[in-house]
Each structure stands twice: as structure tokens, then as C-alpha cells.
């Protein structure tokens, strides 16, 4: 108590104005003193000494300014500074603290360092050597040099440092910490790391209260357990507690060897759910397949995804590719039933589904494609085209050879119907047809070669032969066949019935003897309006091509009918006519 009393009396009676002192050398961050600057008139504006073991003054030390040593405590505006030694520049209301310095601020924050400088006029300070700032909520900042401003209640460093909130650690070259809002503005390269994830980026803002990081430059958020799973973006927000990312620019989500991109995106690293809007792409390099659309969702833990708003998918092959479109496309992977270590990939297209491949095109209400095994299922009013051939039924199954990438065969289940144009180079209304309950279609060199029809099998086949004199093909007529089972061979311009068994009945009619109505089955449905002729046609519900007008060749039949009618008229004329009396 005596020492404190002595210090107060000593300071109040010592006349510093009589000494000529050189202004203190300050850090550039601190305000440069003005020679004529008056000493603050209010007592609370001046630094107040609470305690010191000794008060010293030497002309050859600290330019003749007094200094305090031993358990020094000084106070200013409610904040307490302690140190081993403190130099007081009374005229400038400025202090330098040396050794085990500690500043306890009124807001509860604490700064410790090897040395400090403090300007009581501006309430700005500099701390150096093993600086540690701890805020009331437990955030700890460590650096070598820190600049702080008590009026704006912020701290700044540019010498590199760490920020720890108990859950994560932030590494940054430069940072400004606003203690009131607990917001940290981090510039340059930044790294935020917790037990599960690492965020690395340029120029981010970290909110210690909400644990939300604002991303303002190229940034990557990496899963430490599986580094291939990561988020990349140039702008967004990331919640370090919930692991939710909101992404707005040049963003990508990498998961399970897949990549999701979009104009605006959301991804939850804990649940594995993500969504994207605008120019969405889901790329699967392993499957060599990507899906595009206006809106998409991914489910990392289920290894599945969904795309809507005019979606389409492209499955790339070495020699060819297959394209899909629908109102909704779903892709997923699941373990093989025979080997759980092997994953199979599946694609589903729902509502108005379409697909295109160079040698086969089709549409149905829905399409299911086993990408691994190369099996495609077409449900509800399926229709498949291959060259100038068309196949329809209740359900169509297409089998692709995964090695050659070619279409090997089709299975048509229920109301199977195959149609082929007799001559694709003409517009004659001539079509070979075969139908039945079930049909298996075999391909050769990417074209339909053979069909086997089972159950109420029927066929209409145009028959040609080579004229021995002219050596040119000549139309013989049309063969109508009904059998339990039909084997049909599709040749260039002909349908050859190679087998007809079980209740077989087959008749060939010359063109003059078969009326036009019997040249087609009643459910004949040759479709040229909705035909997919190029891959871009899948991008619309229907390309709505103008229906092709075919010309029916009824000349021989009409001539025969005319001859019959004339003969009947002659016979009628020969009959005696009765007259009434």
C-alpha cells in the first residue's frame, strides 16, 4: 500500500515538462504524435498506474521517461495491462510494456504477448512475440505480431497465425477479427481444419458465432477420410457445424467418383444430400456417362441421383454412344446379387422416355437400362426403330453386347408386332409384317436379321422372284401366314418365312387377287411423325415430323376387279329379262 501511495505522489509531483524528451519511436500502425498536442484534460483519458514494485527514471534509458518494473499493473478505460516492465510516455499518453505482457479488456477478451505498445489517445496497440488473443467465447488467435483497436474492438495480423474455436483450427497469413460480431476476415490463402474436413481457399470470412464461412475465392473443402470426396467453388457459404455448403459460382461436388455441377448448388456432407439448379451436369467418368438438366439431386450414401427440367443422359461408347431423355432421369448403383464387391449401374427414364443410338432408336412411357449388363427395358407403349424396321409391343427388352457395343437382340412381350418397309428407297405403301404374343428379334451387323414369333403368330410378306428373261425382280404376290410359331428372316427387301409350325396355314395371293385392306393388319401403326432420326430429336417430346405419304399400288387389283365387274355385267346382260304384262 505504501508503494502505491508513493507512486501516486511521485507521478503527480514530478515535472516532465522541464525535461527535453525525444518522441517515442512507434510502430507505423500507431498514430504519429503531434508536438503541440495537448495532454488530455479528463483524468479517465490518461493511463493510470495501479501497481509496480519500482519506479525508475534514467537519462540514458528510454530517453529519460519513467519506467516501472516488477508486477506492473496499469489501467486505461477499464482495461488492465500487466507486464514485467512498462515505460510511460506521459506527454504522449503512450506506454510500452515488456515481458509477460497481458491486456485484459472490458469486453472479456485477453491478449498476451512478449511486448506491447499502446496509445491511450487512439486506444490502438501492437502486441509482439508469441501473441495470443482469447475472446470471451473461447476463440484463441495466435500470431507473432497483432494490431488491435479498442474503439472499433478489432484485432489484425499479417504475420501468419492460427485461430482455434475448440472445434476447428484456421491457418491464415492475414486476418482481421471483429470481436463484437466475432467475424474474422481472412485474406490470402486460408486453411480451416477440423476432425473431418479441410477447407482451403482464398479470401474467406469466418463467423465464430454462427460457424458460417463466406467463400469469396477459389476454395476446396475436402473429406479427410476420403480425399476424393470434396467441394470446389469460387463463391459460397459453408457451415462448419452442420457441414452444409451453399455454392454460387464455378462449383463442383465430387462424390463416389462422380461430379455434380450447376449454377447454384447445395450439399450436406453429413447426410450426403445435394441439389443443383441451372445448367446442371452429373458426370460419372467411370461409367463414361453424364446427365444434364435444369434441376438435379444426389444422394451420396445411396449412390443415386435424380435429374428433372428437360434432362438428358449420354452413355459414351468407344464406337458409338447412346442418348436418353425423359421428364425425369434417375441413376443409381447397387451391389451385384452374386458378388457384393461388384457394383452395377442403372439408369431410369420416366414419363415420355426416348433413346437414340445410331442403329436403334425408341420411345416408351419409361425406360430402365442396366448399364453394366447392357439390358434395356421399355415399358408402356414401347416403339423401337432400327433402319426402316419398327418393333412394338406391351414391353420390349433390348440386349446390348457390352464388348462390341452393338445391339444383339430384342424380346417383345405381349402384342409383339414387327414392321419393315419392303423398299426403303420408294414411297410405295408396301410393308412386310409379323406379329404374335411374344417375339424374339436377332440382330446381325447392327440390323434386324431374324425374328421368332410364338403364340397366334401371323405374317404378311411380299413375295418377289427373278424373271428368267429380264433377270430383274418381279412381284409374285403376298403371302398370308398364320401359325403357332413363325420363324422369319429379314432380308434386304423381303420377309422370308423360314418356318411356320403348329396349326400352320399359309397362302400366297397374286397382287390382283388381294384387296388393299388385307395387305395390313388391323393394328398396323407405322409411325413416322414421332420417329427419332437424330440424337437431338430426344430433346423434345416428339420431333413432330410431317407424316410420310405413301402411294398404294392397286393397279393390278383394280384391273382385276374391273374385269370381274365387266364379266359380271355381261353375264347379267345374257339373262332373260321379265316384262310385266
Amino acid at each position: 500500500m505504501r508503494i502505491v501511495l508513493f507512486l501516486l505522489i511521485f507521478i503527480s509531483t514530478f515535472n516532465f515538462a522541464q525535461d527535453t524528451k525525444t518522441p517515442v519511436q512507434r510502430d507505423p500502425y500507431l498514430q504519429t504524435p503531434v508536438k503541440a498536442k495537448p495532454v488530455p484534460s479528463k483524468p479517465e483519458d490518461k493511463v493510470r498506474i495501479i501497481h509496480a514494485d519500482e519506479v525508475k527514471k534514467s537519462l540514458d534509458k528510454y530517453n529519460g521517461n519513467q519506467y516501472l518494473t516488477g508486477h506492473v499493473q496499469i489501467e486505461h478505460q477499464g482495461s488492465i495491462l500487466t507486464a514485467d516492465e512498462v515505460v510511460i510516455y506521459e506527454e504522449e499518453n503512450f506506454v510500452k510494456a515488456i515481458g509477460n505482457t497481458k491486456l485484459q479488456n472490458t469486453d472479456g477478451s485477453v491478449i498476451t504477448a512478449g511486448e506491447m505498445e499502446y496509445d491511450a489517445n487512439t486506444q490502438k496497440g501492437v502486441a509482439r512475440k508469441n501473441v495470443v488473443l482469447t475472446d470471451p467465447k473461447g476463440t484463441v488467435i495466435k500470431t507473432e505480431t497483432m494490431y488491435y483497436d479498442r474503439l472499433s474492438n478489432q484485432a489484425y495480423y499479417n504475420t501468419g497465425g492460427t485461430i482455434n474455436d475448440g472445434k476447428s483450427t484456421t491457418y491464415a497469413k492475414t486476418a482481421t477479427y471483429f470481436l463484437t460480431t466475432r467475424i474474422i476476415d481472412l485474406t490470402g490463402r486460408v486453411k480451416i481444419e477440423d476432425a473431418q474436413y479441410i477447407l482451403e481457399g482464398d479470401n474467406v470470412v469466418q463467423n465464430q458465432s454462427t460457424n458460417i464461412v463466406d467463400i469469396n475465392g477459389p476454395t476446396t473443402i475436402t473429406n479427410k477420410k476420403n480425399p476424393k470426396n470434396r467441394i470446389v467453388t469460387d463463391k459460397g457459404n459453408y457451415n462448419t457445424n452442420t457441414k452444409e455448403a451453399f455454392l454460387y459460382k464455378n462449383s463442383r461436388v465430387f462424390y463416389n467418383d462422380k461430379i455434380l455441377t450447376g449454377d447454384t448448388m447445395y450439399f450436406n456432407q453429413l447426410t450426403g444430400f445435394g441439389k443443383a439448379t441451372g445448367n446442371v451436369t452429373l458426370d460419372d467418368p467411370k461409367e463414361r456417362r453424364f446427365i444434364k438438366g435444369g434441376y438435379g439431386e444426389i444422394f451420396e450414401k445411396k449412390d443415386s441421383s435424380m435429374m428433372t427440367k428437360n434432362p438428358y443422359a449420354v452413355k459414351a461408347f468407344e464406337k458409338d454412344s447412346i442418348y436418353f431423355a425423359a421428364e425425369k432421369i434417375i441413376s443409381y448403383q447397387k451391389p451385384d446379387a452374386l458378388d457384393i464387391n461388384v457394383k452395377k449401374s442403372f439408369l431410369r427414364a420416366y414419363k415420355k422416355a426416348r433413346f437414340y443410338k445410331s442403329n436403334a432408336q425408341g420411345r416408351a412411357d419409361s425406360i430402365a437400362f442396366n448399364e453394366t449388363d447392357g439390358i434395356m427395358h421399355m415399358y408402356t407403349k414401347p416403339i423401337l426403330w432400327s433402319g426402316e424396321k419398327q418393333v412394338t409391343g406391351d414391353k420390349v427388352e433390348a440386349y446390348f453386347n457390352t464388348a462390341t457395343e452393338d445391339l444383339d437382340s430384342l424380346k417383345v412381350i405381349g402384342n409383339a408386332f414387327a414392321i419393315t418397309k419392303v423398299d426403303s428407297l420408294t414411297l410405295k405403301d408396301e410393308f412386310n409384317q409379323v406379329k404374335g404374343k411374344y417375339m424374339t428379334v436377332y440382330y446381325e451387323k447392327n440390323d434386324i436379321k431374324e425374328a421368332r414369333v410364338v403364340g397366334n403368330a401371323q405374317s404378311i410378306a411380299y413375295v418377289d422372284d427373278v424373271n428368267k428373261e429380264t433377270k430383274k425382280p418381279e412381284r409374285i404376290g403376298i403371302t398370308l401366314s398364320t401359325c403357332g410359331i413363325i420363324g422369319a428372316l429379314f432380308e434386304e427387301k423381303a420377309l422370308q418365312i423360314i418356318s411356320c409350325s403348329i396349326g400352320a396355314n399359309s397362302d400366297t395371293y397374286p397382287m390382283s387377287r388381294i384387296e388393299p385392306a388385307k395387305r395390313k393388319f388391323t393394328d398396323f401403326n407405322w409411325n413416322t411423325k414421332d420417329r427419332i432420326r437424330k440424337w437431338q430429336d430426344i430433346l423434345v417430346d416428339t420431333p413432330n415430323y410431317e407424316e410420310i405419304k405413301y402411294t398404294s399400288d392397286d393397279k393390278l387389283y383394280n384391273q382385276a376387279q374391273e374385269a370381274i365387274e365387266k364379266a359380271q355385267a355381261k353375264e347379267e346382260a345374257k339373262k332373260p329379262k321379265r316384262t310385266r304384262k
Side-chain angles (χ1 to χ4, degrees):
M1 188 65 185
R2 289 181 179 179
I3 294 174
V4 175
L5 182 61
F6 169 77
L7 287 171
L8 293 173
I9 296 171
F10 180 83
I11 292 170
S12 63
T13 57
F14 195 87
N15 188 357
F16 290 94
Q18 296 176 352
D19 298 327
T20 302
K21 303 179 183 68
T22 304
V24 63
Q25 296 298 311
R26 303 169 177 234
D27 186 284
Y29 171 74
L30 301 177
Q31 180 180 337
T32 302
V34 179
K35 291 182 180 180
K37 193 173 186 177
V39 176
S41 57
K42 296 180 182 179
E44 63 268 20
D45 290 338
K46 298 197 65 174
V47 173
R48 185 171 66 89
I49 301 171
I50 298 175
H51 177 82
D53 290 347
E54 293 183 82
V55 177
K56 298 180 180 181
K57 179 182 178 184
S58 173
L59 294 177
D60 58 355
K61 192 172 184 180
Y62 302 128
N63 296 318
N65 289 284
Q66 69 172 354
Y67 60 96
L68 317 175
T69 61
H71 304 95
V72 181
Q73 282 188 324
I74 64 173
E75 181 270 341
H76 183 256
Q77 300 286 354
S79 293
I80 306 297
L81 173 65
T82 62
D84 294 339
E85 183 174 289
V86 174
V87 183
I88 299 180
Y89 299 85
E90 188 177 15
E91 288 182 355
E92 300 177 31
N93 206 18
F94 184 89
V95 299
K96 281 188 176 182
I98 304 164
N100 297 311
T101 62
K102 178 180 179 181
L103 178 63
Q104 178 77 51
N105 290 306
T106 54
D107 64 354
S109 63
V110 177
I111 301 175
T112 61
E115 60 184 47
M116 292 186 189
E117 296 179 15
Y118 178 70
D119 186 336
N121 293 329
T122 62
Q123 297 191 44
K124 292 182 178 180
V126 179
R128 300 186 186 88
K129 299 178 182 178
N130 300 319
V131 182
V132 179
L133 182 152
T134 305
D135 77 1
K137 299 289 187 178
T139 296
V140 179
I141 301 177
K142 295 181 179 180
T143 186
E144 278 303 300
T145 301
M146 179 178 289
Y147 305 90
Y148 58 91
D149 186 334
R150 290 185 58 228
L151 287 178
S152 61
N153 206 22
Q154 68 184 50
Y156 165 82
Y157 70 78
N158 59 8
T159 52
T162 63
I163 304 167
N164 188 288
D165 61 1
K167 297 177 182 178
S168 64
T169 302
T170 301
Y171 307 86
K173 172 72 174 177
T174 304
T176 302
Y177 186 25
F178 301 89
L179 280 83
T180 303
T181 60
R182 303 191 72 222
I183 291 176
I184 307 173
D185 192 346
L186 306 157
T187 57
R189 198 64 183 166
V190 179
K191 179 180 178 181
I192 302 175
E193 182 175 0
D194 63 14
Q196 297 172 295
Y197 296 93
I198 298 175
L199 183 151
E200 293 180 283
D202 295 333
N203 305 328
V204 304
V205 177
Q206 187 177 18
N207 190 316
Q208 294 290 298
S209 295
T210 62
N211 293 294
I212 291 176
V213 177
D214 294 332
I215 298 168
N216 301 296
T219 300
T220 301
I221 306 168
T222 305
N223 186 323
K224 293 171 72 173
K225 188 176 181 180
N226 185 0
K228 290 194 299 182
N229 287 7
R230 63 195 187 278
I231 298 170
V232 177
T233 188
D234 285 353
K235 188 172 183 60
N237 310 106
Y238 180 67
N239 190 316
T240 58
N241 276 352
T242 63
K243 310 304 179 190
E244 292 176 286
F246 299 85
L247 314 170
Y248 308 115
K249 183 181 179 182
N250 298 332
S251 307
R252 287 159 287 164
V253 174
F254 295 80
Y255 76 103
N256 299 344
D257 298 313
K258 302 171 183 64
I259 309 164
L260 177 69
T261 62
D263 292 343
T264 59
M265 300 172 63
Y266 165 85
F267 186 65
N268 187 316
Q269 291 176 311
L270 297 182
T271 65
F273 171 74
K275 60 182 179 179
T277 303
N279 298 306
V280 183
T281 299
L282 178 60
D283 192 8
D284 190 340
K286 276 193 171 182
E287 285 297 323
R288 301 177 65 190
R289 184 248 299 132
F290 65 82
I291 308 172
K292 288 182 176 289
Y295 175 81
E297 294 180 355
I298 60 172
F299 305 86
E300 179 187 357
K301 298 187 185 304
K302 294 182 179 180
D303 209 353
S304 65
S305 66
M306 180 274 294
M307 193 80 71
T308 60
K309 293 187 177 180
N310 303 315
Y312 71 93
V314 180
K315 173 81 172 181
F317 293 126
E318 289 291 342
K319 297 180 293 184
D320 197 2
S321 296
I322 184 167
Y323 301 79
F324 296 91
E327 291 184 358
K328 179 190 294 186
I329 294 178
I330 293 174
S331 67
Y332 63 93
Q333 289 184 313
K334 66 178 183 179
D336 188 352
L338 301 177
D339 186 353
I340 60 172
N341 295 316
V342 176
K343 277 192 171 183
K344 290 190 173 184
S345 294
F346 300 86
L347 184 142
R348 300 284 189 266
Y350 291 103
K351 296 295 182 184
K352 300 178 181 179
R354 292 89 67 187
F355 86 90
Y356 173 88
K357 199 173 185 296
S358 63
N359 65 319
Q361 309 84 40
R363 58 174 61 244
D365 183 67
S366 61
I367 295 176
F369 185 41
N370 181 331
E371 298 176 82
T372 306
D373 296 336
I375 303 173
M376 182 192 300
H377 300 266
M378 303 174 67
Y379 301 96
T380 310
K381 297 182 179 179
I383 180 168
L384 185 143
W385 296 275
S386 184
E388 289 302 309
K389 302 176 180 68
Q390 175 185 292
V391 177
T392 58
D394 293 340
K395 177 186 176 184
V396 173
E397 295 178 359
Y399 295 84
F400 293 87
N401 187 315
T402 56
T404 65
E405 303 174 359
D406 294 330
L407 182 57
D408 276 351
S409 61
L410 301 175
K411 283 185 179 179
V412 187
I413 302 167
N415 294 308
F417 195 168
I419 306 171
T420 178
K421 186 80 169 62
V422 173
D423 187 349
S424 60
L425 300 179
T426 72
L427 291 177
K428 288 185 177 182
D429 193 17
E430 298 176 340
F431 296 89
N432 292 314
Q433 303 150 63
V434 59
K435 59 180 292 189
K437 285 187 177 180
Y438 307 99
M439 182 185 301
T440 303
V441 179
Y442 300 96
Y443 277 70
E444 184 179 289
K445 295 180 181 180
N446 289 326
D447 196 9
I448 292 177
K449 185 64 177 176
E450 187 178 342
R452 178 179 170 83
V453 185
V454 178
N456 297 329
Q458 303 173 66
S459 69
I460 296 176
Y462 283 74
V463 182
D464 292 340
D465 199 1
V466 177
N467 188 301
K468 293 180 180 180
E469 294 181 2
T470 63
K471 306 298 182 182
K472 293 182 179 180
E474 190 175 82
R475 176 64 42 81
I476 295 175
I478 297 176
T479 299
L480 305 182
S481 302
T482 57
C483 315
I485 300 174
I486 284 180
L489 187 65
F490 289 85
E491 297 178 335
E492 185 178 355
K493 294 184 180 181
L495 176 68
Q496 182 181 348
I497 305 302
I498 56 178
S499 65
C500 184
S501 57
I502 307 177
N505 184 14
S506 183
D507 294 297
T508 300
Y509 300 88
M511 299 304 294
S512 61
R513 297 288 301 276
I514 183 167
E515 60 185 281
K518 290 184 178 180
R519 298 176 189 181
K520 294 178 183 176
F521 291 119
T522 54
D523 52 349
F524 180 88
N525 61 346
W526 183 256
N527 188 330
T528 59
K529 182 173 70 74
D530 300 323
R531 172 79 189 261
I532 297 168
R533 298 188 178 275
K534 56 184 185 295
W535 83 264
Q536 290 87 348
D537 287 345
I538 69 168
L539 301 179
V540 293
D541 177 26
T542 172
N544 201 26
Y545 288 117
E546 185 177 351
E547 287 280 9
I548 297 176
K549 305 294 184 181
Y550 293 99
T551 303
S552 186
D553 187 1
D554 303 331
K555 183 179 179 181
L556 294 177
Y557 178 78
N558 291 336
Q559 287 176 350
Q561 290 299 110
E562 186 178 345
I564 292 172
E565 290 175 0
K566 285 182 179 180
Q568 288 176 346
K570 286 182 180 180
E571 290 297 321
E572 193 68 27
K574 292 179 180 179
K575 293 180 182 180
K577 295 184 179 177
R578 294 181 181 180
T579 57
R580 261 182 209 181
K581 293 182 180 181

